[in-house]
Amino acid sequence: MVRVLFVCLGNICRSPLAEGVFRDLVARAGLAGEIHADSAGTHAYHVGEPPDSRAQEAALQRGVDIGMLRGRKAARRDFETFDYILAMDRENHVNLLAICPRGLEHKLRLFLEFATDRPEDEVPDPYYGGASGFHRVLDMVDEASQGLLADIRARYLAGG
Ligand code: 4NP
């Protein structure tokens, strides 16, 4: 099993959207039994809460239901459990590096590194904006999810 963790600040906007979109892509590729996705936040403000209603609505408009997800805080042990720890922005990356056990730094990446055709390398925080920000996030995570799946196929699933 390949394990992927998406991480943002609150775990109620960007990372649950990434988890939902990526999980949907994996299921449609017939790989749900081989790739596990989860999400977490670097801060604990929204632990136990469902995703922001604007995120849920934007995802549903694309056929992705994230209503069952609940916020949790990223932990040091996640670096042992997961193969990919994917930060939505540089601030998340810095905060994750601070809890990363020595020797596991290679697991930590910016998620948009996998969106090779995009000039941006950070997913902007949509929390203080309107619905369009959530759709922009969805466009970005859609593209990066495809690149991530290609990377997993090449590194872990090739020939299998
Ligand atoms: P997220 O967005 O990191 O994409 O989940 C945010 C959610 C909550 C807050 C900030 C950003 N907050 O300040 O509570």
Side-chain angles (χ1 to χ4, degrees), residues 26 29 33 52 56 62-63 65 73 80 110 120 128 139-140:
V26 164
D52 185 286
Q56 291 193 45
R62 300 189 185 200
D65 185 1
K73 191 170 188 286
E80 315 278 354
L110 281 171
E120 308 95 332
Y128 294 104
D139 290 341
M140 291 175 152

Side-chain angles (χ1 to χ4, degrees), residues 118-129:
R118 280 201 172 261
E120 308 95 332
D121 58 9
E122 300 185 291
V123 182
D125 184 351
Y127 188 67
Y128 294 104

Side-chain angles (χ1 to χ4, degrees), residues 36-109:
H36 172 72
D38 191 7
S39 64
T42 57
H43 287 67
Y45 318 125
H46 299 285
V47 168
E49 293 179 20
D52 185 286
S53 57
R54 298 164 296 173
Q56 291 193 45
E57 192 169 315
L60 270 184
Q61 285 174 17
R62 300 189 185 200
V64 176
D65 185 1
I66 58 169
M68 79 299 285
L69 302 181
R70 293 294 178 269
R72 75 166 177 91
K73 191 170 188 286
R76 186 175 168 84
R77 67 177 172 280
D78 287 323
F79 283 90
E80 315 278 354
T81 309
F82 290 89
D83 302 293
Y84 292 80
I85 308 263
L86 301 173
M88 295 297 135
D89 65 28
R90 291 181 187 285
E91 185 186 334
N92 309 148
H93 191 281
V94 166
N95 288 327
L96 287 163
L97 202 52
I99 60 164
C100 179
R102 191 166 299 172
L104 298 181
E105 295 84 356
H106 62 281
K107 294 186 174 184
L108 177 59
R109 311 271 293 270

Side-chain angles (χ1 to χ4, degrees), residues 8-16 45-46 92 124-128:
C8 61
L9 177 68
N11 193 209
I12 56 166
C13 299
R14 291 166 291 177
S15 61
Y45 318 125
H46 299 285
N92 309 148
D125 184 351
Y127 188 67
Y128 294 104

